Amino acid sequence: MKKTVCVAVTGGAGQISYGLLFRIAAGEMLGTNQPIILHLLEIPSMMDALTGVRMELEDCAFPLVHDIVCTDSPQVAFRDCEYALLVGARPRGKGMERKDLLQANASIFSAHGKAMNEVAARNIRVLVVGNPANTNALIAQQSAPDIDPGAFTAMMRLDHNRALAQIAQHAQVPLTAIQRVSIWGNHSATQYPSISHALVGGTAASEVVDISWYRNEMIPTVQQRGAAIIQARGASSAASAANAAIDHMRDWVMGTPEGDWTSMGIPSNGSYGVREGVICSYPVHCADGRYTIVPDLDIDEFSRNKIDLSVQELFEERAAVESLL
Amino acid sequence: MKKTVCVAVTGGAGQISYGLLFRIAAGEMLGTNQPIILHLLEIPSMMDALTGVRMELEDCAFPLVHDIVCTDSPQVAFRDCEYALLVGARPRGKGMERKDLLQANASIFSAHGKAMNEVAARNIRVLVVGNPANTNALIAQQSAPDIDPGAFTAMMRLDHNRALAQIAQHAQVPLTAIQRVSIWGNHSATQYPSISHALVGGTAASEVVDISWYRNEMIPTVQQRGAAIIQARGASSAASAANAAIDHMRDWVMGTPEGDWTSMGIPSNGSYGVREGVICSYPVHCADGRYTIVPDLDIDEFSRNKIDLSVQELFEERAAVESLL
């Protein structure tokens, strides 16, 4: 067994956390040899519900869970944490403009960033799930100047997995036959799911996948999948989001498979023409607990336009919360 | 990789299944080398919601999931299945007497039993989660005369895990220090959580655990834990029930740990004075894919009375559905 680590999860009593916590506790995220202490954060009005979640976690008798801390204080929640999954966010209320939503969340993620800066482990890894995830991650990062800026990431893995699933269905191949799909940009309807470098059974996807299906069906399907799930289920995609959060963290820590990569929202650094200052999705390799942007990919004109459009949106979101940076 | 197996789950769009399916799909129940085809059954009015669950399962890109079949026909759902988790059940409606509830469920589980008898794999393992679980399992078993009667089990693992958690908290020891707890009888408020043969850190529990705490606090806490969760969460204990279902099936298939046992609702066979004819919880060892009742345990007078009380309830439930057997 490894040394016990603290894992913070915000929005602990929400639907995504309900699909997430039990899988983290079972060892799916950090491995079955990694004991954990769960730090669950909620707003005061949700503390009773959070107690219920804690009782259920206890009732699973998970051998890996050494303690569960429930709190409404970010300073308690993030203390000594090496992993933080920022799931809780303010949903869009009636009559709220996009700018209102960005700012309401900015104040939450600013507070969380400051608390992490004060009390979190210096090697913390942060995944922002709560939307608008990329800009929330940026706010948290900018509020934590004493933590490695690269520690702040946003979840693009649900989009990545959705793209894999669409291609597998279209090409009628097992999921494991598909490699090197990339999601670029913002976790929003402007995101760009790219198959430019993808392989299907080792063959270039462009030779296997119908290009008009890709452009006219697959891209919008992936972009709008969340709405389609709400339409069918009558509730948002909680369990698949939770699954993507586990995949994101696990691959970051344990590495991506040989010959493949994944997509993560990470600080832009000028690579592929995305200037510094936003949390942008790139294709990344993970190894030795670190991510690196996949280098030297050719970007065709179609891709260039799609990436630029989504990055432009990221900078617009940044501008809307600039006063808090 | 092993040969693909079909796993049926009923009530596929319900809350317990929502906590269960993604963990089965990730390999937590049958192992990460066991590909599966999921057969999800729902009632016609829930088929849209079930489609949403299916979309989310697809969006997880689980490598082990080779196909997902959604249906409202038990004959389709159970076809060739080697595992069936019967989660869906009729909840108690307003003004429904206990007998009405038993009979409403009896007709559901009778239909499922008949369908399994016709189309399921002959080596199927059945776990009934939907309440009243023990009597529902009995009905299914009696409706499937061509399947091994021992294939029908009822879930007591949530009670078992709850008992472990209570003892660990009381004795302030890790969960892994506790062994040989037993749940006897019915999955209801009459169930008997026994520590007569339990070990805490290798020492007899009777020497570690305060006996008045055990009798006056632990037993009622375990018996009434479900209601306490509803009180706190405002919703029933779905994720911990899902977790217990996974534990039950995994241990049945993979075996219980050396020196320990678990609790399962299985057909009574006269052991420990419980005559044939009900699905009763016993302490069991699992090995080579089979369960066996733990033999030769001393039953003291306190335990005898508690077991008899719960078994009496099982026979009363049986009497209420006798016309369907």
Side-chain angles (χ1 to χ4, degrees), chain A residues 110-122:
Chain A
S110 162
H112 291 181
K114 284 181 184 134
M116 283 187 271
N117 199 52
E118 287 170 30
V119 300
R122 295 302 92 174

Side-chain angles (χ1 to χ4, degrees), chain A residues 135-153:
Chain A
T135 298
N136 290 342
L138 179 70
I139 295 272
Q141 179 206 50
Q142 297 288 309
S143 307
D146 302 330
I147 293 175
D148 171 13
F152 292 83
T153 67

Side-chain angles (χ1 to χ4, degrees), chain B residues 2-284:
Chain B
K2 298 181 186 173
K3 188 169 149 283
T4 302
V5 295
C6 295
V7 177
V9 179
T10 73
Q15 284 306 304
I16 294 177
S17 290
Y18 198 62
L20 177 62
L21 293 170
F22 298 82
R23 296 184 62 189
I24 294 175
E28 284 199 64
M29 187 172 86
L30 298 175
T32 52
N33 60 348
Q34 177 60 69
I36 58 173
I37 295 173
L38 284 169
H39 287 198
L40 308 182
L41 181 69
E42 259 301 349
I43 54 177
S45 63
M46 294 292 279
M47 291 307 287
D48 278 352
L50 187 61
T51 299
V53 173
R54 178 209 189 118
M55 290 164 74
E56 283 205 73
L57 283 163
E58 290 166 357
D59 289 354
C60 293
F62 288 117
L64 292 174
V65 178
H66 285 202
D67 199 4
I68 304 169
V69 175
C70 293
T71 180
D72 59 7
S73 158
Q75 272 74 12
V76 174
F78 295 120
R79 184 167 300 281
D80 300 328
C81 282
E82 294 179 40
Y83 302 91
L85 292 92
L86 308 189
V87 178
R90 176 83 180 274
R92 196 166 193 155
K94 266 191 184 165
M96 240 176 147
E97 299 288 332
R98 182 163 176 79
K99 189 163 177 169
D100 300 333
L101 180 72
L102 280 159
Q103 292 193 341
N105 276 292
S107 66
I108 296 169
F109 285 83
S110 163
H112 291 182
K114 282 179 186 136
M116 284 187 269
N117 199 53
E118 287 170 31
V119 299
R122 296 299 95 175
N123 63 341
I124 192 170
R125 288 181 178 88
V126 182
L127 167 62
V128 176
V129 175
N131 285 319
N134 303 56
T135 298
N136 289 343
L138 179 70
I139 294 274
Q141 178 207 50
Q142 297 287 310
S143 307
D146 303 329
I147 294 176
D148 171 13
F152 292 83
T153 67
M155 190 168 89
M156 307 299 300
R157 186 58 175 266
L158 183 51
D159 309 299
H160 184 94
N161 286 346
R162 285 169 169 169
L164 290 177
Q166 291 301 312
I167 298 166
Q169 279 187 14
H170 175 75
Q172 302 205 295
V173 297
L175 282 151
T176 45
I178 303 160
Q179 295 174 296
R180 304 189 190 177
V181 165
S182 311
I183 309 289
W184 296 85
N186 194 7
H187 175 64
S188 76
T190 68
Q191 65 173 275
Y192 170 48
S194 168
I195 61 165
S196 299
H197 312 93
L199 301 176
V200 177
T203 303
S206 55
E207 293 179 30
V208 179
V209 170
D210 175 31
I211 192 72
S212 71
W213 169 82
Y214 163 65
R215 291 192 178 182
N216 303 322
E217 293 191 44
M218 182 188 133
I219 293 179
T221 295
V222 172
Q223 288 172 334
Q224 294 154 24
R225 184 75 166 177
I229 304 261
I230 291 176
Q231 176 75 16
R233 281 192 70 224
S236 63
S237 45
S240 50
N243 180 72
I246 285 175
D247 284 352
H248 176 115
M249 276 297 197
R250 191 197 54 226
D251 283 0
W252 188 358
V253 175
M254 316 264 197
T256 41
E258 185 71 28
D260 200 3
W261 63 59
T262 188
S263 304
M264 291 171 66
I266 58 171
S268 56
N269 64 357
S271 295
Y272 295 106
V274 184
R275 67 179 200 275
E276 281 187 40
V278 291
I279 304 287
C280 178
S281 186
Y282 288 98
V284 296

Side-chain angles (χ1 to χ4, degrees), chain A residues 127-212:
Chain A
L127 167 62
V128 177
V129 176
N131 285 321
N134 303 54
T135 298
N136 290 342
L138 179 70
I139 295 272
Q141 179 206 50
Q142 297 288 309
S143 307
D146 302 330
I147 293 175
D148 171 13
F152 292 83
T153 67
M155 190 168 91
M156 307 299 299
R157 186 61 175 264
L158 182 52
D159 309 298
H160 184 95
N161 286 346
R162 284 167 171 170
L164 291 177
Q166 291 301 314
I167 298 166
Q169 279 186 15
H170 175 74
Q172 302 204 295
V173 297
L175 282 152
T176 46
I178 304 160
Q179 294 173 298
R180 303 189 191 178
V181 165
S182 311
I183 308 290
W184 297 84
N186 194 8
H187 174 64
S188 76
T190 69
Q191 65 173 275
Y192 170 49
S194 167
I195 61 165
S196 299
H197 311 94
L199 302 176
V200 177
T203 303
S206 56
E207 293 178 30
V208 179
V209 170
D210 175 31
I211 193 70
S212 71

Side-chain angles (χ1 to χ4, degrees), chain A residues 292-305:
Chain A
T292 49
I293 296 173
V294 177
D296 304 327
L297 298 174
D298 289 328
I299 305 296
D300 61 22
E301 195 186 337
F302 179 81
S303 299
R304 185 76 265 160
N305 289 336

